[in-house]
Amino acid sequence: MIIVIQSKDQIGLVAAISGIMSRNGLNIVSLREHVDKAESRFFMRIEAEHEADPSSLENEIKAVLPSDAYVTVNPQPDKKVVLLVTKEYHCLADILVRNYFKTLGATIQCVIGNYSNLENICTRFDVPFHLVSHEQTDKEAFEKNIAGIVERYTPDYIVLAKFMRILSPAFVARFPTRIINIHHSFLPAFAGAHPYKQAFERGVKLIGATSHFVTDELDEGPIIAQQVIPVNHSYTAADMMKAGKEIEVSVLAKALSLVFSDRVFVYRNKTVVFE
Amino acid sequence: MIIVIQSKDQIGLVAAISGIMSRNGLNIVSLREHVDKAESRFFMRIEAEHEADPSSLENEIKAVLPSDAYVTVNPQPDKKVVLLVTKEYHCLADILVRNYFKTLGATIQCVIGNYSNLENICTRFDVPFHLVSHEQTDKEAFEKNIAGIVERYTPDYIVLAKFMRILSPAFVARFPTRIINIHHSFLPAFAGAHPYKQAFERGVKLIGATSHFVTDELDEGPIIAQQVIPVNHSYTAADMMKAGKEIEVSVLAKALSLVFSDRVFVYRNKTVVFE
Amino acid sequence: MIIVIQSKDQIGLVAAISGIMSRNGLNIVSLREHVDKAESRFFMRIEAEHEADPSSLENEIKAVLPSDAYVTVNPQPDKKVVLLVTKEYHCLADILVRNYFKTLGATIQCVIGNYSNLENICTRFDVPFHLVSHEQTDKEAFEKNIAGIVERYTPDYIVLAKFMRILSPAFVARFPTRIINIHHSFLPAFAGAHPYKQAFERGVKLIGATSHFVTDELDEGPIIAQQVIPVNHSYTAADMMKAGKEIEVSVLAKALSLVFSDRVFVYRNKTVVFE
Amino acid sequence: MIIVIQSKDQIGLVAAISGIMSRNGLNIVSLREHVDKAESRFFMRIEAEHEADPSSLENEIKAVLPSDAYVTVNPQPDKKVVLLVTKEYHCLADILVRNYFKTLGATIQCVIGNYSNLENICTRFDVPFHLVSHEQTDKEAFEKNIAGIVERYTPDYIVLAKFMRILSPAFVARFPTRIINIHHSFLPAFAGAHPYKQAFERGVKLIGATSHFVTDELDEGPIIAQQVIPVNHSYTAADMMKAGKEIEVSVLAKALSLVFSDRVFVYRNKTVVFE
């Protein structure tokens, strides 16, 4: 069994929770607990052997925790996910492959794109593709169209797999801590739209990518995963972009793997990741 | 407070231990627990806020655990360490610098070398150096001389900082899981005496280093830390050795930092590292 | 223009070659030259601006080099490739995606598998799949069947994308330095069939993957690329295998990118890689 | 022999230079050439076997190059270096150790510190230490004092080994492309004085360090080397600083090794590094 918990911190939480586990005959084989002292916030993830009724256990645990606690026993193993894309295929294709071979830890319900060029690859994998153009419409209508499709699917997560339009606070507010983005730089360096051009001009020796939850503040949401790769003087801005795409695929895959296996906790502008 | 525990696994250990913590008014701010299922072995490390009497707490915890349990409350923060060296300075100097600036998490009591060339650097840092030559003597007498000096200092750990003589099982048996080595390859690749020559001849694209506890089996003890760095066709065997030394320093420093902060548990031929 | 050259070393080769470049009005914008002194072997890769007739230039350069020299001016940019697979999809799918989006630097002509389970993904990408079972046949006939299909396509390279049968020296001899393998360990550690099991039992802290040219000696061919990722005590052998697959995909993609862009030179048991 | 060249680009430079090499009976065993096309700038580094008179060779080469060319044949192998420090010991001690064991590729002539706490370690290594306090003086006088000492030693390079005062453009102008700094962040992220605090607050998953030449623009000079290490939610800002120091030592050592072996070329705001 997997149990994930987040709540206000106080003395005795581990004892109270593990006491319940023990009385239910459950053997804790892996436990990660962290207290954010500045925020007085408690995070815990348990893997246990043997079985108990999940909803009874969840209620038992909630009863001993502060009233604001989030507790999930055996979180749904197969998350439902909607992807948003623009024109670039690399992150999308990687996710479609994992989805097809059932190693994603989630099911892609549909892909929504603001261009039509990625429809073909979706069709090849039997994943519905919805074209929602941002042209000849205003942002509000554009987002309303997207939200309408998304809500039909009631996904657990929305993944921006190189979706290059900036979402409004109003859209983000509908899906709090449920939108995951891949940003093509080692944030906070080179925030904004043209990181590889900036990286080239600055002459950096490493480029990176960042996966984060989307919040109202552009490129400022809680970071889930980051990676870098070395570059050198022989890389043009285009070479950096090409190299960066490999890292973007890798970082987004890593972040999704962590989120879909219930290892990522969000509080305010940071994550706790029990890797 | 820091509490580290290793014992046979059974249901209820976390509850029993954290119950004691809670009743003593201690707030657990970081907890790592792992069960090695194949070995049915329980490992735990707790960081807690507020204070209790360490030896009472240790006894309270021992009383609820299987009789074979190891429990340490507030392990001694400043370990005593004896270094063994041969001719190479790089790991030794790094440790002497950290020792001098009190950032090692341990105190170097003395250095034992089988050549005299490293005496000068020890003297500059006010660390006693003992020359024990392996020449004109047999291995038994050589090791008896070393052991005699070591035991005068009653160290917590013996660190082989590029000590290039193979220690006999008899010597190793006197200091079980207390001898730490740095091996100049990414074990188990290139075990033995000339890893860089082998790496060069094989044309590998990465070279590495491994820090491990020393056991009877040469280069086979429990691994604490490993790192690699890229090399290429332009590296001679000598270049690989030079590059490798940087990694050896880094890996040994990392391993010692983990061991000295009581994050490394040993059971049979493996470690559990709560990094 | 791209020019790649390998020959016996002697004084004046760079001058002779660059003199020809200059007289043809070509501007060398990137030059990499390396001499393997132990083998007295010369390797060079040039990128130049402006244009000349490739075959005249090739002949001009050959005329000033030792008679054993290999010279290629503007190597064919779109290599022809046949893939061999067994049951695992991860490397295959990554290559099929790149092939589909024309970012592989090569064209996959067909996939040959000794099981049928990967036929579907090939079909989805319009790539011919040939089933050649190793069952109910001997090794010689099995390989003859494969070779028959391969030779129909006259590929530049054969890529073993997790092909788990050992090829005979006779088969390998038909395609010298043209068969590329991905091995699921950081060679030479854990050569053989079950590296993740061995890595788990040894308790290593890094696992890796190696892409190499295939020679008669199993797992001993010239190494093109290697990478590692960290693992720890919480990884089962199955977890290591899962993590390792990510690295296998990445290393094979990297190796293919280097080979297909004519940056890899092979001589005896080593590569020179002008990255 | 080592030959390093930088000049305006034009067709025929490689041929002209390698022709001279050949006529002098020199065998080029490693050649790296790069043209920055945007700047039309030519960079080359040659390693050759056999010997010729360095100054004749230098003159011969200069004669065939554009008049603005920089050419150095057999650059001085043992650079003279002055270190500037403030209070932190880690980079200083690493450099002093390498200096003492003659593996730095340079000789430390003296250390100038604006506090006295690092005098002792310098004395232990027989390196002169000069205290120049920034207190009870203005910036101009403070820098004049430093420059006075520096100029007495006529160093090839000034290394800021965690020197925490900002140098004025006037000071920097006296030593163009000869001042090397280590900055405690992955620039351009977290430029300024408190990168670890910023990194902690932003919740990044990697922290880094950057070594660069110092220019008038704070933290904007040409980057020589960068590295990162992973961090996570369990790191306080102080833990990040501690982890970061390991990377700072490593990056600065790497950058100095590259500069002192004449592998780094500077043009405008970027470096070309022939690693």
Side-chain angles (χ1 to χ4, degrees):
Chain A
M1 306 188 84
I2 307 282
I3 299 115
V4 293
I5 300 169
Q6 182 183 157
S7 82
K8 212 164 81 62
D9 186 39
Q10 64 187 41
I11 291 178
L13 293 182
V14 177
I17 297 160
S18 58
I20 293 169
M21 301 293 291
S22 171
R23 285 193 296 279
N24 279 276
L26 298 166
N27 193 31
I28 298 173
V29 293
S30 178
L31 190 159
R32 301 287 301 264
E33 183 251 17
H34 171 70
V35 170
D36 183 330
K37 291 193 232 175
E39 304 281 359
S40 192
R41 195 80 190 162
F42 172 89
F43 305 89
M44 190 155 75
R45 185 179 188 277
I46 297 174
E47 295 180 16
E49 283 187 333
H50 313 310
E51 290 303 320
D53 178 68
S55 81
S56 308
L57 188 65
E58 201 169 292
N59 288 333
E60 260 192 272
I61 293 172
K62 269 183 188 155
V64 300
L65 296 181
S67 57
D68 75 330
Y70 299 87
V71 180
T72 311
V73 174
N74 284 351
Q76 178 194 333
D78 185 33
K79 272 65 175 169
K80 295 187 293 176
V81 176
V82 165
L83 298 184
L84 268 60
V85 300
T86 294
K87 280 184 169 173
E88 291 171 280
Y89 77 86
H90 54 291
C91 290
L92 170 65
D94 178 71
I95 294 169
L96 288 175
V97 165
R98 293 173 197 265
N99 181 64
Y100 175 75
F101 286 103
K102 304 196 182 312
T103 55
L104 181 65
T107 295
I108 303 305
Q109 301 176 291
C110 78
V111 175
I112 302 171
N114 58 324
Y115 288 92
S116 63
N117 68 310
L118 296 174
E119 175 160 14
N120 186 292
I121 183 80
C122 294
T123 306
R124 282 173 190 263
F125 282 112
D126 307 326
V127 170
F129 178 90
H130 303 277
L131 175 63
V132 180
S133 176
H134 63 282
E135 291 173 344
Q136 295 172 321
T137 184
D138 63 12
K139 185 172 190 132
E140 197 179 328
F142 173 61
E143 293 193 347
K144 201 179 153 191
N145 286 341
I146 292 176
I149 297 170
V150 169
E151 284 171 353
R152 235 192 285 153
Y153 288 97
T154 61
D156 298 298
Y157 292 101
I158 299 166
V159 175
L160 311 184
K162 303 293 294 174
F163 179 72
M164 305 309 280
R165 311 296 300 177
I166 296 167
L167 293 168
S168 70
F171 186 96
V172 172
R174 289 166 95 143
F175 310 98
T177 73
R178 289 165 52 200
I179 309 177
I180 297 168
N181 188 40
I182 177 71
H183 188 272
H184 45 326
S185 90
F186 177 70
L187 288 173
F190 308 130
H194 301 293
Y196 294 118
K197 186 166 174 291
Q198 292 174 272
F200 172 74
E201 285 168 1
R202 183 63 187 87
V204 294
K205 302 301 185 188
L206 296 171
I207 56 171
T210 302
S211 182
H212 62 94
F213 288 103
V214 176
T215 58
D216 286 6
E217 303 294 319
L218 182 66
D219 298 338
E220 291 290 329
I223 293 172
I224 307 166
Q226 298 187 293
Q227 288 176 21
V228 295
I229 43 165
V231 293
N232 61 45
H233 59 267
S234 74
Y235 284 67
T236 62
D239 293 334
M240 286 188 184
M241 182 179 291
K242 194 180 154 201
K245 284 178 180 176
E246 304 287 328
I247 285 295
E248 292 169 21
V249 170
S250 175
V251 172
L252 182 56
K254 176 77 180 176
L256 295 183
S257 165
L258 291 168
V259 170
F260 296 162
S261 57
D262 302 289
R263 295 172 182 279
V264 180
F265 299 72
V266 186
Y267 188 68
R268 300 210 164 149
N269 207 45
K270 289 188 187 178
T271 62
V272 168
V273 180
F274 290 139
E275 206 172 332
Chain B
M1 304 188 85
I2 307 282
I3 299 117
V4 293
I5 300 169
Q6 182 183 157
S7 81
K8 212 164 81 61
D9 186 40
Q10 65 187 39
I11 291 178
L13 293 183
V14 176
I17 297 160
S18 59
I20 293 169
M21 302 291 292
S22 171
R23 285 192 296 278
N24 279 275
L26 298 166
N27 192 30
I28 297 174
V29 292
S30 178
L31 190 159
R32 300 287 301 265
E33 185 249 17
H34 172 71
V35 171
D36 182 329
K37 291 194 231 174
E39 304 281 359
S40 193
R41 194 83 191 161
F42 172 90
F43 306 88
M44 189 156 75
R45 186 179 188 279
I46 297 174
E47 296 179 17
E49 283 188 331
H50 313 309
E51 291 303 319
D53 177 68
S55 81
S56 308
L57 188 66
E58 202 170 291
N59 288 333
E60 260 193 272
I61 293 172
K62 270 184 187 156
V64 300
L65 296 181
S67 57
D68 75 329
Y70 299 87
V71 180
T72 310
V73 174
N74 284 351
Q76 178 194 332
D78 184 34
K79 271 64 174 169
K80 293 187 295 176
V81 176
V82 165
L83 298 183
L84 268 60
V85 300
T86 295
K87 280 184 170 172
E88 290 171 281
Y89 77 85
H90 53 291
C91 290
L92 171 65
D94 179 70
I95 294 169
L96 288 176
V97 164
R98 292 172 198 266
N99 181 64
Y100 175 75
F101 286 103
K102 303 198 183 311
T103 55
L104 183 63
T107 294
I108 303 306
Q109 301 175 291
C110 78
V111 175
I112 302 171
N114 59 324
Y115 289 92
S116 62
N117 69 310
L118 296 174
E119 177 162 11
N120 184 293
I121 183 80
C122 293
T123 305
R124 282 174 189 263
F125 282 112
D126 306 326
V127 170
F129 179 89
H130 303 277
L131 174 64
V132 180
S133 176
H134 63 284
E135 291 173 343
Q136 295 172 319
T137 185
D138 63 11
K139 186 172 190 132
E140 198 180 326
F142 173 61
E143 292 192 346
K144 201 180 151 190
N145 286 342
I146 292 175
I149 296 169
V150 169
E151 284 171 353
R152 233 192 287 154
Y153 288 96
T154 61
D156 297 298
Y157 292 100
I158 298 167
V159 175
L160 311 185
K162 301 296 291 176
F163 179 71
M164 304 309 278
R165 312 295 301 178
I166 296 167
L167 293 168
S168 69
F171 186 96
V172 173
R174 290 166 95 143
F175 309 98
T177 72
R178 288 164 53 199
I179 309 178
I180 297 168
N181 188 39
I182 177 71
H183 188 272
H184 44 325
S185 90
F186 177 70
L187 287 174
F190 309 130
H194 300 293
Y196 295 118
K197 186 166 174 292
Q198 291 174 271
F200 172 75
E201 285 168 2
R202 183 64 188 87
V204 294
K205 302 300 186 190
L206 296 172
I207 56 171
T210 302
S211 183
H212 63 93
F213 288 103
V214 176
T215 58
D216 286 7
E217 304 293 318
L218 183 65
D219 298 337
E220 290 291 330
I223 293 172
I224 306 165
Q226 299 188 290
Q227 290 176 20
V228 295
I229 42 166
V231 293
N232 61 45
H233 59 268
S234 75
Y235 284 66
T236 61
D239 293 334
M240 286 188 184
M241 181 179 293
K242 193 178 154 201
K245 284 177 181 178
E246 304 287 328
I247 285 296
E248 293 169 22
V249 169
S250 175
V251 173
L252 182 55
K254 176 78 180 174
L256 295 183
S257 165
L258 291 168
V259 170
F260 296 161
S261 57
D262 301 289
R263 295 172 181 280
V264 180
F265 299 71
V266 186
Y267 187 69
R268 300 210 165 148
N269 207 46
K270 290 188 188 178
T271 61
V272 169
V273 180
F274 291 138
E275 206 172 333
Chain C
M1 307 187 84
I2 308 282
I3 299 115
V4 293
I5 300 169
Q6 182 182 157
S7 82
K8 212 165 81 60
D9 186 40
Q10 64 188 40
I11 291 180
L13 294 182
V14 176
I17 297 161
S18 58
I20 294 168
M21 301 292 292
S22 171
R23 285 192 296 278
N24 279 275
L26 299 166
N27 193 30
I28 298 174
V29 293
S30 178
L31 191 159
R32 300 288 300 265
E33 185 250 16
H34 171 71
V35 171
D36 183 328
K37 292 193 230 175
E39 304 280 0
S40 191
R41 195 84 190 160
F42 172 90
F43 305 89
M44 189 156 75
R45 185 178 189 279
I46 296 174
E47 296 179 18
E49 282 188 334
H50 313 307
E51 291 303 320
D53 178 67
S55 80
S56 309
L57 188 64
E58 201 169 292
N59 289 333
E60 260 193 271
I61 293 173
K62 269 183 189 156
V64 300
L65 296 181
S67 58
D68 75 330
Y70 300 87
V71 180
T72 311
V73 174
N74 283 352
Q76 177 195 332
D78 185 34
K79 272 64 175 171
K80 294 187 293 175
V81 176
V82 165
L83 298 184
L84 268 60
V85 299
T86 294
K87 280 183 168 172
E88 291 170 279
Y89 76 86
H90 53 292
C91 289
L92 170 64
D94 179 71
I95 294 168
L96 288 175
V97 165
R98 292 173 198 264
N99 181 64
Y100 175 76
F101 286 103
K102 303 196 184 312
T103 55
L104 183 65
T107 295
I108 302 305
Q109 301 175 291
C110 78
V111 176
I112 302 171
N114 58 324
Y115 289 91
S116 62
N117 69 309
L118 297 174
E119 176 161 13
N120 185 291
I121 183 81
C122 293
T123 306
R124 283 174 188 261
F125 281 111
D126 306 326
V127 171
F129 178 89
H130 303 277
L131 174 64
V132 180
S133 177
H134 63 283
E135 291 174 344
Q136 296 172 320
T137 185
D138 62 12
K139 184 171 190 133
E140 197 180 328
F142 172 61
E143 292 192 346
K144 201 179 152 190
N145 286 341
I146 292 175
I149 297 169
V150 169
E151 284 170 353
R152 233 192 287 154
Y153 288 96
T154 62
D156 298 298
Y157 293 100
I158 299 167
V159 175
L160 311 185
K162 302 294 293 176
F163 179 71
M164 305 309 279
R165 312 295 301 177
I166 296 167
L167 293 168
S168 70
F171 186 96
V172 173
R174 290 166 94 144
F175 310 98
T177 71
R178 288 165 53 201
I179 310 177
I180 296 167
N181 187 39
I182 177 72
H183 187 272
H184 44 326
S185 90
F186 177 71
L187 286 174
F190 309 129
H194 300 293
Y196 294 118
K197 186 167 173 291
Q198 291 174 272
F200 172 74
E201 285 168 2
R202 183 64 188 86
V204 294
K205 302 301 185 189
L206 295 171
I207 57 171
T210 302
S211 183
H212 63 93
F213 288 103
V214 176
T215 58
D216 286 7
E217 303 294 318
L218 182 66
D219 298 338
E220 291 291 328
I223 293 172
I224 306 165
Q226 300 188 290
Q227 289 177 20
V228 295
I229 42 165
V231 293
N232 61 45
H233 60 267
S234 75
Y235 284 67
T236 62
D239 293 335
M240 286 187 184
M241 181 179 292
K242 194 179 154 201
K245 284 177 181 177
E246 304 286 329
I247 285 295
E248 293 169 22
V249 170
S250 174
V251 173
L252 183 55
K254 176 78 180 175
L256 295 182
S257 165
L258 291 167
V259 170
F260 296 161
S261 57
D262 302 289
R263 296 172 181 278
V264 180
F265 299 71
V266 186
Y267 187 67
R268 300 210 164 148
N269 207 46
K270 291 188 187 178
T271 62
V272 168
V273 180
F274 291 138
E275 208 172 333
Chain D
M1 305 189 85
I2 307 282
I3 299 115
V4 294
I5 299 169
Q6 182 182 157
S7 82
K8 212 164 82 61
D9 186 40
Q10 64 186 41
I11 291 180
L13 294 183
V14 176
I17 297 161
S18 58
I20 293 169
M21 301 293 291
S22 172
R23 285 193 295 279
N24 279 275
L26 298 166
N27 193 31
I28 298 175
V29 294
S30 178
L31 191 160
R32 301 287 301 265
E33 184 250 16
H34 171 71
V35 170
D36 183 329
K37 292 193 232 176
E39 304 281 359
S40 192
R41 194 84 190 159
F42 172 89
F43 305 89
M44 189 156 75
R45 185 179 189 277
I46 297 175
E47 296 179 18
E49 282 188 333
H50 312 309
E51 290 304 319
D53 177 67
S55 81
S56 309
L57 188 65
E58 202 169 292
N59 288 333
E60 262 193 89
I61 293 172
K62 271 183 188 156
V64 301
L65 296 181
S67 57
D68 75 329
Y70 299 87
V71 180
T72 311
V73 174
N74 284 351
Q76 179 194 330
D78 185 34
K79 271 64 174 171
K80 294 187 293 173
V81 176
V82 165
L83 298 183
L84 268 60
V85 300
T86 294
K87 281 183 169 174
E88 291 171 281
Y89 77 85
H90 54 291
C91 289
L92 170 65
D94 180 70
I95 293 169
L96 289 175
V97 164
R98 292 173 197 265
N99 181 64
Y100 176 75
F101 286 103
K102 304 197 183 311
T103 55
L104 182 64
T107 294
I108 302 306
Q109 302 176 289
C110 78
V111 175
I112 301 171
N114 58 323
Y115 289 92
S116 62
N117 68 310
L118 296 174
E119 176 161 12
N120 185 292
I121 184 80
C122 293
T123 304
R124 283 174 188 262
F125 282 111
D126 306 326
V127 170
F129 178 89
H130 303 277
L131 174 64
V132 180
S133 176
H134 63 283
E135 291 173 343
Q136 296 171 319
T137 185
D138 63 13
K139 186 172 189 131
E140 198 180 327
F142 172 62
E143 292 193 346
K144 201 179 153 191
N145 286 341
I146 292 176
I149 297 169
V150 168
E151 284 171 353
R152 233 191 286 154
Y153 287 97
T154 61
D156 297 298
Y157 293 100
I158 298 167
V159 175
L160 311 185
K162 302 295 292 175
F163 179 72
M164 306 309 279
R165 312 294 301 176
I166 296 167
L167 293 168
S168 69
F171 186 96
V172 172
R174 290 166 95 143
F175 310 98
T177 73
R178 288 164 53 200
I179 309 177
I180 297 168
N181 187 40
I182 177 72
H183 187 271
H184 44 325
S185 90
F186 177 72
L187 288 173
F190 308 130
H194 300 293
Y196 295 117
K197 184 165 175 293
Q198 291 175 273
F200 172 75
E201 285 167 2
R202 183 63 189 86
V204 294
K205 302 301 186 188
L206 295 172
I207 56 171
T210 302
S211 182
H212 62 94
F213 288 102
V214 176
T215 58
D216 285 7
E217 303 294 317
L218 183 66
D219 299 337
E220 290 290 330
I223 293 172
I224 307 165
Q226 299 189 290
Q227 288 176 22
V228 295
I229 42 166
V231 293
N232 61 45
H233 60 268
S234 75
Y235 284 67
T236 61
D239 293 334
M240 286 188 183
M241 181 179 292
K242 194 178 153 201
K245 284 178 180 177
E246 304 286 328
I247 285 296
E248 293 169 21
V249 170
S250 174
V251 173
L252 182 56
K254 176 77 180 175
L256 295 183
S257 164
L258 291 167
V259 170
F260 295 161
S261 57
D262 302 288
R263 294 172 180 280
V264 180
F265 299 71
V266 186
Y267 188 68
R268 299 210 164 149
N269 207 45
K270 290 188 189 179
T271 62
V272 168
V273 181
F274 290 139
E275 208 173 333

